[in-house]
Amino acid sequence: MNILHIAPHLGGGVGKAHAALAEAARAFARPDGADVGRHHFALLEPPRDAQFVERVRAAGCAVTLAPEARELARLAARADIVQVEWWNHPRLYALLASNTLPAMRLALWVHISGLAPPLIPSRLVELADKVLFTSPCSLKAQTLAAAIAARPEAFGVVNSGFGCDAPPRPRQAALKVRIGSLGTLDFIKMHPSFFDMVDAVTDAIQVSLWGTLDPVGEVAARAAAMRHPERIRFEGYASDPRAILGALDLFLYPLNPHHYGTGENALVEAMSMGAVPLVWDNPAERAIVSHGRNGFVVGSIEAGAALIDWACSEPQRLLRMGVTGARDIARTHTPEVSVAAFAEHHRDLMRVPPRRRDFAARLGTDARAWFLSSVRTDAAEACVPSPRFFRDTAAKGTAGHFRDCFPGDPSLDGLPLL
């Protein structure tokens, strides 16, 4: 079984997931002899960071960088299955809407939740033979309800967030609970009241934050304006995430309710190392964290602060929750589990005949239509409130990103930009 993956690139969480899957698949063996496939990656952009491309190649997968349309069509024609790694990247829209791909069996592995912008175009979902989400929370996306109800058998979930590849070291309850977080230091991802919650804790805690910080940005300013700014330590780039997470007892991970993540690698990795997470009551996090069993799910600043105080006073109980979380992740969030899930879905796909699709008719033929499909539910409806996607910067999926990919495209004229 030959599987062609089409992706804008193999950076970030997508690249990390596929590197782990490729390495696991190489050693994968099943009693029933299920075929995990031979995988070829066609990347629409040259990699900025080649680490995951190199790992995928080392695991035996072919990689083609920035193929021309004719070459990509040839690769698709030779494949048994074409799997598009989907998020709202401008070049994916442009490729599909060019209608240059041949008849094929089409799977989408969707790397955004679709619960808030960027949305998953329902008209694209209707064209796919299989739609595989990276979190079960996406099955609740209102914009996809009709499509899922019409073909429930076409939808599934394959995790993209995996725990660390070795069991955590044996832990002992800390005399002073070690608290920290690792990830994107930007309120696009962080909950806007993160620092208010830390301020509201009764205990004189210390919270270490790892990640790249803009020293004149909003996060730094909000931290400096705290009543207790001494509680926050910005530690910089995490050169050894495993060592950092293995040293934490409580992992603070309250995210913006409008974030579009799904697999949440940092959260899963922290739990796999025995750190107990405190997360906001968002669908993607609820799919990973079970409140009171392996972590805490909170819906208010007051509840979060109270639970941090509780955790600081109950290190033994916190330790036991961490052990439970590590066991849960080892059972549910491993590359081997996802490789097995893909084998089943790909086997199902082989039962359907290849067919051609008119993507242009469903997605539109210009960059404006493609961009707007990710921020409103239908071409005839008003935009979903999502001002961050109207930024005139090249941040992922923004209007500026579309302008950067299609300079001079007149269809983008007139978009309101921030």
Side-chain angles (χ1 to χ4, degrees):
M1 182 163 48
N2 294 311
I3 300 157
L4 175 68
H5 300 261
I6 299 177
H9 53 73
L10 281 181
V14 177
K16 189 172 187 177
H18 273 296
L21 289 172
E23 290 159 356
R26 193 171 193 179
F28 188 79
R30 287 186 47 144
D32 61 5
D35 184 4
V36 300
R38 291 161 295 283
H39 299 261
H40 190 137
F41 290 83
L43 308 183
L44 305 183
E45 295 180 340
R48 297 180 182 178
D49 180 350
Q51 63 169 316
F52 297 127
V53 171
E54 291 168 0
R55 283 177 57 186
V56 163
R57 280 179 167 152
C61 302
V63 180
T64 301
L65 301 178
E68 294 183 354
R70 183 178 298 179
E71 171 66 5
L72 190 53
R74 185 183 68 82
L75 292 173
R78 291 172 52 189
D80 296 305
I81 294 169
V82 174
Q83 180 169 303
V84 173
E85 310 295 327
W86 177 262
W87 67 96
N88 63 319
H89 194 289
R91 298 198 192 283
L92 276 179
Y93 280 104
L95 167 67
L96 295 178
S98 69
N99 280 348
T100 56
L101 293 177
M104 58 187 172
R105 301 178 182 92
L106 176 63
L108 304 177
W109 196 22
V110 182
H111 299 277
I112 54 177
S113 71
L115 301 177
L119 303 174
I120 304 164
S122 60
R123 295 177 180 181
L124 172 63
V125 162
E126 291 164 358
L127 291 177
D129 298 307
K130 275 279 185 183
V131 181
L132 303 173
F133 298 121
T134 41
S135 170
C137 72
S138 297
L139 292 166
K140 303 296 185 182
Q142 292 183 359
T143 56
L144 302 181
I148 295 173
R151 294 190 304 150
E153 73 284 353
F155 294 82
V157 178
V158 180
N159 288 326
S160 63
F162 309 129
C164 295
D165 57 3
R169 61 174 175 77
R171 286 174 172 260
Q172 293 182 340
L175 294 176
K176 185 172 179 61
V177 170
R178 296 157 296 187
I179 308 172
S181 189
L182 183 155
T184 303
L185 298 179
D186 189 307
F187 288 123
I188 287 178
K189 194 69 184 281
M190 297 174 68
H191 195 284
S193 296
F194 181 97
F195 297 108
D196 297 330
M197 185 171 68
V198 174
D199 246 347
V201 175
T202 301
D203 197 8
I205 61 172
Q206 184 94 77
V207 179
S208 294
L209 302 180
W210 281 268
T212 302
L213 176 71
D214 179 355
V216 296
E218 188 179 6
V219 169
R222 294 279 288 276
M226 293 171 64
R227 295 194 311 276
H228 302 289
E230 73 280 359
R231 293 184 176 183
I232 298 294
R233 290 186 57 179
F234 290 107
E235 306 283 2
Y237 175 73
S239 58
D240 188 354
R242 179 184 171 83
I244 291 167
L245 297 172
L248 293 178
D249 303 300
L250 183 64
F251 184 70
L252 291 191
Y253 204 63
L255 300 184
N256 190 313
H258 301 295
H259 82 88
Y260 49 82
T262 55
E264 297 308 333
N265 279 297
L267 171 60
V268 171
E269 289 174 358
M271 293 177 68
S272 77
M273 296 299 295
V276 176
L278 187 151
V279 302
W280 204 256
D281 189 14
N282 297 326
E285 293 92 296
R286 285 200 308 269
I288 300 169
V289 180
S290 176
H291 180 70
R293 170 186 165 80
N294 57 24
F296 306 112
V297 180
V298 301
S300 71
I301 295 302
E302 295 76 17
L307 280 169
I308 295 172
D309 275 323
W310 179 91
C312 291
S313 67
E314 297 283 352
Q316 286 286 353
R317 293 173 71 178
L318 195 68
L319 177 66
R320 290 194 291 272
M321 289 180 70
V323 171
T324 298
R327 289 173 178 166
D328 289 344
I329 294 301
R331 187 181 69 255
T332 62
H333 285 71
T334 69
E336 291 77 14
V337 169
S338 290
V339 167
F342 269 127
E344 297 296 329
H345 288 299
H346 290 158
R347 185 167 61 184
D348 286 348
L349 267 174
M350 291 301 293
R351 300 189 181 106
V352 304
R355 60 188 176 93
R356 293 191 68 91
R357 294 157 172 86
D358 188 351
F359 292 103
R362 296 297 187 96
L363 296 176
T365 57
D366 59 54
R368 183 187 186 91
W370 306 331
F371 169 72
L372 290 177
S373 75
S374 68
V375 295
R376 63 186 186 187
T377 56
D378 187 85
E381 297 181 10
C383 291
V384 177
S386 51
R388 68 181 183 271
F389 287 101
F390 286 85
R391 293 179 178 178
D392 195 18
T393 68
K396 183 167 65 175
T398 62
H401 190 193
F402 277 77
R403 286 185 183 276
D404 188 58
C405 289
F406 311 119
D409 187 324
S411 74
L412 295 170
D413 293 345
L415 283 178
L417 299 177
L418 303 178

